[in-house]
Amino acid sequence: MIPVPGFEGRRVAVFGLGRSGITAARALQAGGAIPILWDDGEAGRAQAKGEGFTVEDLAAADWSDFAAIVLSPGAPLTHPRPHWTVDLARAAGVPVLGDIELFARALADRPKDQRPRVVAITGTNGKSTTTALIGWVLKSAGLTVHVGGNIGVGVLALPEPTPDAVYVIEVSSYQLDLTTTFAPDVAILTNISPDHLDRHGGMDGYVAAKARIFANQGPDGVALVGVDDTWGQQIARDLSDRATVISTHPSQRAEGYVAQSGAVLKDSELVADLTAARSLPGRHNAQNAAFAYATARALGLDHDAAVAGLLSFPGLAHRMEAVGRLGSVRFINDSKATNADAARQALASYPSVLWIAGGVPKAGGIADLADLFPRIAKAYLIGDAAPAFAATLADTPHVIARTLDAAVAAAAADAASAGGEQIVLLSPACASFDQFKDFEARGEAFRAAVLALGAVPETAS
């Protein structure tokens, strides 16, 4: 745990007692604060009471006595309207903070020569794989590395800082909205496409939240920007000479890194041949590798150590994860593809797929994927989105399977009938909440269904 200083002996409100909230309360208490906790759900309040925290209805509290409120990233800061705790905090002049900001303040409280280094990653898609990949590369080179944030362990639950450590932190737009001083040594923006627009009041607000990852960096800060979209290009221009751009388009070679399927180049020179990296297929994974390579070099790793880490990466669960093989049929779990743009990366990685898609659709559905429909040998549609996806697919072969188990069984049977090497790809382009509690549960259900058919588990090599 990372104790949070600066609030010794003072009351700090904490709203939202999920993973980040209860962890923030523990970290505040460890730093000498008096956390006052509340959650709209009885289960969260019961857990807090069980740990000995003071639980108090913040709607009836004296806000003049609070030094700050730590807001769960799940509670809206501005849109569709501010959470009621935000209204009360602003009326009382109480700062509204998040767990990433508490992390930043805990590090800033240490002498400069005693601070660990921080790598922070955000983006609409690819941030989890990039985070995990950077952590792997740095650990493989022998560094002391702690990976967390919006992936895995909450940031304040990570080990206490030591001067030799590197924190590799995934941060969401919700978390960035709640930062004021966060200044990572290496800040990464993978890409931007429309997402969470209801929480940011539209695209401008969403882009501004993502851009906050660079806002407090000093002149020595490293800014790595994906420029495959117009929003990333504008952010790179705003950063001017501070930005190192990373693209999948060859026209960008002269300006920074370019990622192509199986290769990373810099200034037109090959820096990493990824053809042997089974866990990094496709251009999007080459771009993730470019971010990881550039980060490793910025932190002092030599070329050979950085490339060795890339080639040995075992992959990230639920993101282009090879979960099993049944004869010549491979099953790929891309459950983390919760929107069409993420599914595009997976579909573009294979010449032909048997595609399992559906769930709770995002705005626009899968219409933007029409250029990839010729790669779809057949689609197996599940969940709420199935009828709309079927209409969009039109003449592309498809069937409404409704459930994931049925889709896996049907796709496996069709793959066996077709013969030869086949790919069955779960890349839903949807949220999971109609049938599963989250994308992890959906991915594990896919894995279980595949293995129940007698498939042999696959591991990267």
Side-chain angles (χ1 to χ4, degrees), residues 329 331 354-356 378 380 406-417 424-425:
V329 181
F331 295 84
L354 300 162
W355 183 35
I356 300 174
K378 190 172 181 178
Y380 307 82
V408 170
D414 287 344
S417 297
V424 175
L425 171 68

Side-chain angles (χ1 to χ4, degrees), residues 306-322:
V307 173
L310 296 176
L311 297 183
S312 64
F313 180 56
L316 185 66
H318 313 299
R319 192 68 177 109
M320 300 287 286
E321 177 193 13

Side-chain angles (χ1 to χ4, degrees), residues 132-157:
L133 179 55
I134 291 171
W136 176 270
V137 170
L138 299 181
K139 284 181 181 178
S140 297
L143 275 65
T144 300
V145 181
H146 308 304
V147 179
N150 196 49
I151 179 177
V153 179
V155 65
L156 293 171

Side-chain angles (χ1 to χ4, degrees), residues 146-439:
H146 308 304
V147 179
N150 196 49
I151 179 177
V153 179
V155 65
L156 293 171
L158 293 172
E160 257 193 271
T162 55
D164 63 324
V166 180
Y167 288 88
V168 182
I169 307 298
E170 178 185 320
V171 287
S172 70
S173 58
Y174 300 165
Q175 290 173 311
L176 286 168
D177 251 351
L178 293 165
T179 61
T180 55
T181 67
F182 183 49
D185 298 279
V186 180
I188 297 170
L189 173 65
T190 59
N191 52 62
I192 298 180
S193 60
D195 205 10
H196 306 306
L197 301 189
D198 58 329
R199 278 287 302 271
H200 295 286
M203 199 64 200
D204 288 347
Y206 180 56
V207 173
K210 291 295 189 187
R212 288 177 73 89
I213 198 167
F214 305 111
N216 298 304
Q217 283 188 299
D220 295 330
V222 176
L224 305 177
V225 186
V227 292
D228 281 354
D229 52 80
T230 56
W231 300 287
Q233 292 164 15
Q234 183 58 56
I235 289 171
R237 285 193 292 269
D238 292 343
L239 292 171
S240 188
D241 293 341
R242 283 193 53 219
T244 297
V245 301
I246 297 178
S247 174
T248 62
H249 301 307
S251 61
Q252 296 285 352
R253 286 185 187 180
E255 300 178 30
Y257 290 87
V258 64
Q260 297 175 324
S261 187
V264 174
L265 303 98
K266 187 175 189 295
D267 301 329
S268 300
E269 298 292 329
L270 179 69
V271 295
D273 180 351
L274 303 175
T275 54
R278 278 187 55 191
S279 295
L280 297 172
R283 288 192 306 172
H284 68 293
N285 271 317
Q287 188 175 33
N288 297 337
F291 284 118
Y293 179 86
T295 299
R297 299 290 281 146
L299 294 180
L301 268 64
D302 64 31
H303 167 81
D304 290 344
V307 173
L310 296 176
L311 297 183
S312 64
F313 180 56
L316 185 66
H318 313 299
R319 192 68 177 109
M320 300 287 286
E321 177 193 13
V323 297
R325 178 182 285 272
L326 190 60
S328 58
V329 181
R330 296 184 69 215
F331 295 84
I332 307 298
N333 169 21
D334 195 43
S335 181
K336 200 173 190 301
T338 57
N339 57 49
D341 193 56
R344 167 176 291 280
Q345 311 303 331
L347 289 171
S349 297
Y350 304 104
S352 177
V353 298
L354 300 162
W355 183 35
I356 300 174
V360 179
K362 299 288 181 72
I366 57 171
D368 287 347
L369 300 178
D371 60 306
L372 294 175
F373 288 176
R375 296 177 182 240
I376 300 169
K378 190 172 181 178
Y380 307 82
L381 306 176
I382 64 175
D384 293 350
F389 281 15
T392 304
L393 287 166
D395 295 335
T396 300
H398 63 270
V399 62
I400 294 180
R402 301 193 185 282
T403 67
L404 184 56
D405 285 350
V408 170
D414 287 344
S417 297
E421 294 287 331
Q422 301 289 335
I423 298 291
V424 175
L425 171 68
L426 170 68
S427 191
C430 284
S432 60
F433 306 127
D434 55 344
Q435 296 180 335
F436 302 96
K437 69 175 184 177
D438 51 35
F439 74 83

Side-chain angles (χ1 to χ4, degrees), residues 106-117 161-165 185:
L107 298 193
D109 188 64
R110 294 170 173 264
K112 193 167 185 179
D113 62 353
Q114 296 295 306
R115 294 174 194 168
R117 292 175 290 180
T162 55
D164 63 324
D185 298 279

